[in-house]
Amino acid sequence: MRFDKTIIEDVLLLVPKKFGDSRGYFLETFRKSLFESEVGPFTFVQDNRSYSAEAGTVRGLHFQTNPRAQGKLVSCSSGAFLDVAVDIRTGSPTYGKFVSVELSAENALQLWLPPGFAHGFCTLTADTVITYKVTDYYSAEHERGLLWNDPELGIEWPVAADKAILSEKDRGQPTLAELQSNFSYAVNDQFGRLSRSG
């Protein structure tokens, strides 16, 4: 498996090595020792699955505040979606910037975003299943959001705002300018830049 850098250094694209023949293929999706050597000493405690029946479904942008912040390793089990990670770490040189990448069952790519990023996605096909591993348990008390189509972010979503299938909660999230700071940018000598509580 290859760990490719994106335009935001701490967000990584995991590219698997496929072993295929006439029957199909095999690939490794996660190896703890390799992940720790390439990314850092993160421990995953919960696996989640999200099913969306229709293309154009948008979920996000979501995150959890400290001390229950989550890093996420996101992949696609069925269908395809555009995955988005937004840097919300105060003081980061890429604050308010984003990474977007298409994840699909076919390409088997995975996106790693550490704590300090808001996460969301838009389905590109019907019957899309998103799976992701997280570094802390879900906590409703610490759950927060960022407005998915905030013009300041400039995310090029594959669906028009009036066509997107959204929850009422996600329609009413704050903009980046309205967001209360919870993360600050810091440097960890061994594993690069990691988010710290603000």
Side-chain angles (χ1 to χ4, degrees):
M1 183 179 295
R2 206 173 67 233
F3 290 72
D4 290 351
K5 291 185 177 181
T6 67
I7 58 172
I8 299 180
E9 185 174 351
D10 300 327
V11 178
L12 299 174
L13 187 64
L14 280 63
V15 183
K17 184 174 182 180
K18 287 186 177 182
F19 300 89
D21 58 26
S22 59
R23 301 167 299 170
Y25 66 83
F26 168 87
L27 59 84
E28 191 173 88
T29 60
F30 181 75
R31 181 187 291 242
K32 185 175 186 289
S33 59
L34 179 60
F35 189 87
E36 288 186 351
S37 69
E38 294 289 335
V39 180
F42 292 95
T43 300
F44 294 105
V45 300
Q46 182 176 312
D47 286 5
N48 299 325
R49 177 179 295 178
S50 172
Y51 168 76
S52 297
E54 298 183 54
T57 299
V58 175
R59 299 180 191 266
L61 300 157
H62 300 150
F63 61 96
Q64 285 189 184
T65 58
N66 283 306
R68 303 302 299 274
Q70 295 176 320
K72 296 180 180 179
L73 181 60
V74 188
S75 60
C76 183
S77 298
S78 178
F81 61 95
L82 183 74
D83 205 40
V84 178
V86 179
D87 189 349
I88 55 173
R89 302 169 298 175
T90 303
S92 168
T94 52
Y95 179 78
K97 304 298 183 185
F98 68 91
V99 170
S100 64
V101 61
E102 181 178 331
L103 304 182
S104 69
E106 182 177 356
N107 67 29
L109 299 174
Q110 298 180 78
L111 191 69
W112 159 251
L113 52 146
F117 284 77
H119 172 250
F121 58 82
C122 177
T123 57
L124 302 174
T125 65
D127 299 319
T128 291
V129 178
I130 292 91
T131 54
Y132 54 102
K133 307 171 81 68
V134 293
T135 60
D136 204 341
Y137 299 106
Y138 170 73
S139 172
E141 178 186 353
H142 298 87
E143 185 181 23
R144 301 289 187 275
L146 176 64
L147 186 63
W148 72 287
N149 63 344
D150 178 2
E152 186 177 349
L153 300 176
I155 299 170
E156 294 183 5
W157 293 99
V159 63
D162 62 341
K163 301 294 185 183
I165 302 168
L166 285 153
S167 69
E168 286 305 310
K169 184 176 181 178
D170 284 346
R171 291 182 190 277
Q173 300 286 9
T175 63
L176 186 67
E178 297 166 336
L179 198 65
Q180 291 186 340
S181 174
N182 186 256
F183 302 98
S184 60
Y185 180 79
V187 174
N188 177 301
D189 291 338
Q190 186 176 4
F191 295 108
R193 297 174 178 86
L194 300 173
S195 58
R196 301 287 188 233
S197 57

